Amino acid sequence: MTTSLDNLQSALDAALGGRIKALKRDRGEITITVSAADYADVVRVLRDDEQLKFEQLIDLCGVDYSTYKDQPWDGPRFCVVLHLLSVSLNWRLRVKVFAPDDDLPVVPSVTEVWSAANWFEREAFDLYGIVFDGHEDLRRLLTDYGFIGHPFRKDFPVSGHVEMRYDPETKRVIYQPVTIEPREITPRIIREENYGGLH
């Protein structure tokens, strides 16, 4: 496996050179980080270069690093992560790109490179608010019509903003402000005598 990773790393260095901002080898996998400005060119090279041939996009997801490892995060907040597969060469690769603006996270769309990115990018837009520039049909995918906010962001309230219920008087589903009051839940511990055979 080490030889295969060495070969992949050499091919990545040869094809991408200085466009790789960071390269990490961990648990038998390679992760590269590229800038948002280079992202569109890099993914085309990853697919088209004869030494790489990443024909298949396995997954694309968003990440909110604002509370990463419960520590203050220094750097861009939103990241897009791709998992790629080269069927021809039996290689896997993880690609990370950070959106440069936290207030309006934008990265280029890769739907022209891999059509499978279509729904993945819509999901990341819906749940994280990451905008994919060039996506032809960027709209919400999992949340309801008129939903406010992006529920996978770390600062989104756990109870949400609105709730919906069926109103028997109007015979329709209605939306209203959340009526759940936040509360601290403290577990109650009950110890029985001789629990588990202990004295």
Side-chain angles (χ1 to χ4, degrees):
M1 180 180 285
T2 304
T3 304
S4 177
L5 284 182
D6 291 340
N7 293 339
L8 174 55
Q9 185 171 345
S10 297
L12 289 168
D13 287 336
L16 301 175
R19 289 181 284 190
I20 300 175
K21 290 176 64 178
L23 186 144
K24 182 177 180 181
R25 289 173 65 159
D26 188 29
R27 295 177 177 85
E29 297 178 350
I30 292 182
T31 302
I32 63 170
T33 303
V34 298
S35 71
D38 293 331
Y39 178 55
D41 293 332
V42 165
V43 294
R44 287 190 189 282
V45 170
L46 291 173
R47 183 194 64 184
D48 298 338
D49 189 279
E50 287 298 315
Q51 304 302 314
L52 296 172
K53 293 185 180 179
F54 285 101
E55 309 100 341
Q56 191 167 1
L57 172 79
I58 300 296
D59 186 31
L60 181 150
C61 62
V63 180
D64 181 354
Y65 276 94
S66 62
T67 58
Y68 182 63
K69 294 186 177 180
D70 292 327
Q71 301 290 326
W73 176 254
D74 184 25
R77 175 179 174 181
F78 296 102
C79 179
V80 174
V81 181
L82 288 77
H83 293 97
L84 305 176
L85 172 65
S86 171
V87 178
S88 309
L89 303 172
N90 193 25
W91 281 341
R92 292 179 184 272
L93 178 68
R94 182 178 299 113
V95 179
K96 294 169 68 173
V97 57
F98 285 88
D101 184 3
D102 291 345
D103 295 327
L104 181 61
V106 179
V107 297
S109 173
V110 297
T111 53
E112 289 184 8
V113 180
W114 298 287
S115 59
N118 184 354
W119 282 47
F120 291 126
E121 289 183 350
R122 284 182 60 190
E123 181 182 52
F125 166 70
D126 188 2
L127 301 178
Y128 290 97
I130 300 170
V131 176
F132 292 88
D133 189 30
H135 193 289
E136 292 184 0
D137 188 23
L138 196 61
R139 57 192 162 101
R140 290 193 181 269
L141 181 67
L142 299 171
T143 55
D144 199 10
Y145 302 110
F147 189 88
I148 298 168
H150 304 283
F152 277 15
R153 287 188 175 191
K154 302 293 184 176
D155 54 3
F156 190 81
V158 176
S159 62
H161 296 289
V162 294
E163 62 187 19
M164 55 189 272
R165 67 176 176 82
Y166 179 76
D167 184 20
E169 291 177 12
T170 60
K171 296 187 174 163
R172 52 175 274 188
V173 174
I174 62 168
Y175 294 85
Q176 63 189 38
V178 173
T179 57
I180 300 171
E181 293 182 22
R183 63 181 189 263
E184 184 78 23
I185 299 176
T186 306
R188 196 174 91 177
I189 300 171
I190 301 173
R191 300 210 189 272
E192 300 173 8
E193 287 187 36
N194 297 324
Y195 178 76
L198 299 174
H199 292 80

